[in-house]
Amino acid sequence: MKKLSLRSAGLGLAAPVGALIFALLLCALILVITGHSPVEVVDQMVKSVQRPRTVANSLNSATTYYLSAVAVAIGFKMRLFNIGVDGQYRLAAMMAAAVGGASFMGSLPSFLRILMTIVVAMLVGAVWAGIAGFLKVTRGVSEVISTIMLNAIATAVVAYLLNPARLAVSVAGSNNIGTAPITEGGQVPGFDYPGSSSKIFGLIFLAVLVGFLYWFMLNRTRFGFDLKATGLSESAAVASGVNVKKMIVASMLLSGGAAGLVGMPQLLGASHSYALDFPSGLGFTGIAIALLGRNHPVGMAFAALLWGFLDQASNVLDISGVPKEIVVIMQGVIVLSVVIAYELVRRYRLRLEQREVGKALGTTKTPAEVSA
């Protein structure tokens, strides 16, 4: 069994490494077919990562991506596919921005203003995701369908409220509109990065805290054990006394709460208001990063950093004459390769375990054989 565990650990390491090597080779082939030199592209990407501005922007992108991935991963652990993270974080960011920029907030201490803004975002995200959980346990509606529809509804709600007659104000000298700006007391200052004009989001520590809490919940709490048990086998969880319906709703609420945090680093660290140009699509990126990181807090951190770097590298490649869409293709190839690799490793590991069990049964003597 010790030999089997060592072999299993080796397979676990070989899966992502082999998948990345395969993805790089396939990306190189794509570059050759499109008439670009893989060596020059790699050289441009290596040079870009040496620039302080690229490093700072990559860390900022990775911060939001990581929060999005954790929100998705909470659902994945329960075998729930929360596709609604994108709508949850956008609606949460807009409502949090409206509260954070409200006039009554100006008289509150800075720490309390920031805390209230973050809490509002988490509550809005949790409530929006909780609708899908409630529909699933009461009416059997698939969370995939309900979260997709809730994304569309969230988009419509944001468009309705983001109006000068409601929660928005016009930006002077621009066609852009957004919520009232959050004043300095409600902002989270960033950190200077040597050689870069871009600052690293101060809420990067929030992402670290969320990752730790995610790990602690799954591995050190009864709730986390029940969550994983329900995801692995619902019937076994029911037999052990777990209320599956309660776990579904709780998981969706937690996933939505984490989704509400996705827009906070950008809102409190850079934008300071929710406007038409607020970043979108982060929820769908979180799905890819959760898959790439295998829902593990450390794995998702590395995947988020890789994604953030590739996003910044795309701008450099575009300037160099290489279409930035190549990077999108690379990201897709990497995710697909890793998912396939892990599935192949899972099947091979299962075959090894069956073989070892068969050998053990074949060498075990029955009581009759022992007495003989």
Side-chain angles (χ1 to χ4, degrees):
M1 294 302 293
K2 183 178 180 181
K3 181 180 178 181
L4 179 61
S5 62
L6 291 174
R7 188 181 299 178
S8 179
L11 288 172
L13 180 62
V17 174
L20 287 175
I21 293 175
F22 174 77
L24 291 175
L25 292 175
L26 188 56
C27 290
L29 178 61
I30 294 172
L31 287 170
V32 171
I33 293 174
T34 55
H36 301 93
S37 171
V39 177
E40 292 181 3
V41 171
V42 171
D43 182 59
Q44 290 292 335
M45 296 177 71
V46 171
K47 288 180 180 178
S48 70
V49 80
Q50 296 173 354
R51 299 172 183 171
R53 181 181 176 85
T54 300
V55 175
N57 290 336
S58 297
L59 286 173
N60 288 340
S61 297
T63 300
T64 55
Y65 290 161
Y66 185 72
L67 291 170
S68 179
V70 171
V72 174
I74 293 173
F76 279 167
K77 285 295 182 180
M78 266 286 296
R79 298 291 176 89
L80 296 173
F81 204 7
N82 183 10
I83 306 181
V85 171
D86 201 69
Q88 291 154 21
Y89 95 81
R90 286 189 289 114
L91 183 60
M94 190 205 65
M95 297 304 296
V99 173
S103 57
F104 71 88
M105 295 285 279
S107 60
L108 298 177
S110 178
F111 173 78
L112 187 58
R113 291 181 62 184
I114 295 171
L115 180 62
M116 285 182 62
T117 304
I118 293 176
V119 169
V120 167
M122 293 183 66
L123 288 176
V124 172
V127 169
W128 205 248
I131 296 173
F134 177 77
L135 290 174
K136 184 175 181 66
V137 300
T138 58
R139 292 293 181 267
V141 180
S142 170
E143 75 281 358
V144 176
I145 302 299
S146 59
T147 51
I148 289 175
M149 297 308 298
L150 284 168
N151 275 344
I153 296 172
T155 301
V157 171
V158 169
Y160 174 78
L161 294 177
L162 203 62
N163 186 291
R166 299 177 184 90
L167 298 181
V169 295
S170 299
V171 180
S174 170
N175 292 327
N176 198 12
I177 58 173
T179 57
I182 299 175
T183 55
E184 186 176 355
Q187 302 172 8
V188 178
F191 302 97
D192 291 324
Y193 189 84
S196 172
S197 58
S198 299
K199 291 189 175 183
I200 298 175
F201 290 149
L203 287 182
I204 189 173
F205 295 111
L206 176 63
V208 175
L209 176 62
V210 168
F212 171 76
L213 292 176
Y214 170 72
W215 170 85
F216 185 83
M217 177 195 71
L218 289 179
N219 299 284
R220 294 293 185 271
T221 66
R222 172 62 186 271
F223 176 82
F225 176 82
D226 290 345
L227 187 148
K228 291 188 294 184
T230 307
L232 290 172
S233 176
E234 186 174 312
S235 58
V238 171
S240 62
V242 177
N243 188 328
V244 174
K245 291 185 177 181
K246 180 180 177 181
M247 291 302 301
I248 290 174
V249 174
S251 299
M252 289 302 292
L253 289 173
L254 280 175
S255 180
L261 295 174
V262 174
M264 292 302 98
Q266 177 69 31
L267 176 66
L268 298 179
S271 299
H272 306 141
S273 69
Y274 187 94
L276 296 176
D277 57 352
F278 198 81
S280 61
L282 300 179
F284 300 108
T285 304
I287 296 174
I289 292 173
L291 291 172
L292 192 59
R294 301 295 293 176
N295 302 324
H296 191 280
V298 178
M300 290 188 295
F302 282 110
L305 288 170
L306 173 63
W307 220 263
F309 163 68
L310 289 175
D311 277 351
Q312 297 303 314
S314 66
N315 298 325
V316 176
L317 295 180
D318 195 35
I319 296 174
S320 304
V322 179
K324 61 191 308 182
E325 289 76 15
I326 291 292
V327 172
V328 179
I329 296 174
M330 292 173 64
Q331 291 172 333
V333 169
I334 290 172
V335 172
L336 188 60
S337 300
V338 170
V339 170
I340 293 175
Y342 273 113
E343 178 60 22
L344 292 175
V345 167
R346 186 191 69 81
R347 294 183 181 184
Y348 183 65
R349 184 182 291 151
L350 182 61
R351 191 176 303 170
L352 287 178
E353 291 175 355
Q354 292 173 342
R355 188 180 304 168
E356 291 296 326
V357 170
K359 289 181 180 179
L361 291 174
T363 57
T364 302
K365 293 183 178 181
T366 65
E369 292 173 333
V370 173
S371 60

